[in-house]
Amino acid sequence: MPNTFGKLFTVTTWGESHGPGVGAVVDGCPPRLPIEAAEIQAELDRRRPGQSDIVTPRKEEDRVEILSGIFEGKTTGTPISLLVRNADQRPGAYDEMREKFRPSHADYTYEAKFGVRDHRGGGRSSARETVGRVAAGAIAKKILAHGVAGGGVEIRAFLTQVHDIVVPAAALEKFPTLAEVEATAVRCPDLETAARMIERIKAVRSEGDSVGGVIECRVRGVPPGLGEPVFDRLEADLAKAMLSLPATKGFEIG
């Protein structure tokens, strides 16, 4: 079962949704890159569940522990091991899943492929796995900002659509600031549209249903030469990373 992404800079995530903890091992990070636990924690805080009444109510502090690879505030060039302990473990809440498979979930695939599965909240197939991705991504983000072709690569992701509510094109003409993205629970940089999105999510949720959305990611300052010409094209790697997320059902680049 592959759990590693990348070739030169590799990220291996590990852990289960309701096990003792989750995390990642990052290999291929260059030495002497200045990074503190607080920088990784800042990204995990953005991901942390239970931040509003429109997301999962699971309560997790998501405090990162650096076990290796960083010494006196700088990377050593050796594997970086990151651990986040699960505090809100409720495996008993999934006892019914011992005998039943959840629709549109990976439970049946695990059983059919390996003859065993972790029914506690999806185990490895839970979105809890993304804790390791976010922690590793904080390191990758630092490399891109300071260590590639002089640095300067900026990345910003934000919500542009929920159900049939779409941000007006005029509101997205400029590269949004992080403060604008973080201003609302849905992380939509247009406040008026964000308010309508939140209302729609709450209305649909009150009926026991859910709605989909569209996230846009903009990157600027990208140096030429990233990616390869055929199978490891930058677009192909981005698509694989995004489509491996449990909730992602489509990917577009342009």
Side-chain angles (χ1 to χ4, degrees):
M1 186 197 312
N3 295 284
T4 301
F5 180 80
K7 291 184 177 179
L8 300 179
F9 179 92
T10 66
V11 176
T12 303
T13 66
W14 54 267
E16 290 78 40
S17 180
H18 287 271
V22 291
V25 175
V26 177
D27 201 4
C29 181
R32 300 185 301 279
L33 179 74
I35 191 162
E36 300 286 346
E39 295 175 84
I40 301 173
Q41 189 62 54
E43 299 296 340
L44 286 171
D45 288 344
R46 296 181 64 211
R47 181 215 168 275
R48 181 171 48 81
Q51 296 186 45
S52 71
D53 58 356
I54 62 170
V55 298
T56 174
R58 183 170 179 170
K59 299 297 182 183
E60 292 285 0
E61 190 178 12
D62 283 353
R63 305 305 300 179
V64 66
E65 299 176 37
I66 300 174
L67 305 182
S68 67
I70 298 177
F71 178 66
E72 295 183 343
K74 292 184 179 180
T75 59
T76 61
T78 58
I80 301 170
S81 184
L82 306 165
L83 164 66
V84 172
R85 300 181 190 276
N86 291 333
D88 189 9
Q89 299 178 51
R90 291 175 286 108
Y94 297 90
D95 282 348
E96 187 179 4
M97 302 302 173
R98 289 180 183 272
E99 309 299 331
K100 298 178 181 178
F101 295 109
R102 290 192 286 181
S104 302
H105 208 271
D107 284 5
Y108 180 75
T109 303
Y110 269 85
E111 187 75 38
K113 188 175 180 69
F114 302 111
V116 64
R117 66 187 175 97
D118 185 345
H119 69 279
R120 303 168 302 170
R124 279 292 290 162
S125 59
S126 166
R128 183 79 182 142
E129 179 269 341
T130 59
V131 167
R133 300 189 191 210
V134 171
I139 298 171
K141 189 176 179 180
K142 190 70 180 284
I143 294 173
L144 290 171
H146 299 277
V148 175
V153 178
E154 276 191 277
I155 304 167
R156 192 83 71 242
F158 45 90
L159 192 68
T160 60
Q161 181 175 347
V162 165
H163 204 195
D164 58 354
I165 301 173
V166 184
V167 178
L172 297 176
E173 290 180 351
K174 67 180 184 68
F175 196 87
T177 66
L178 182 60
E180 289 172 334
V181 173
E182 293 290 290
T184 67
V186 287
R187 294 191 166 97
C188 170
D190 186 62
L191 295 179
E192 182 179 342
T193 308
R196 293 169 55 216
M197 289 175 170
I198 292 172
E199 288 179 8
R200 177 64 57 82
I201 292 170
K202 289 182 177 179
V204 173
R205 188 174 185 176
S206 68
E207 298 172 358
D209 206 345
S210 63
V211 291
V214 176
I215 297 170
E216 181 174 321
C217 180
R218 294 185 185 179
V219 185
R220 63 182 180 182
V222 179
L226 292 184
E228 301 297 336
V230 187
F231 295 116
D232 290 326
R233 295 165 60 93
L234 181 59
E235 294 98 327
D237 281 341
L238 288 172
K240 181 177 182 179
M242 293 308 304
L243 289 170
S244 66
L245 293 167
T248 305
K249 300 304 176 188
F251 178 81
E252 180 181 356
I253 189 165

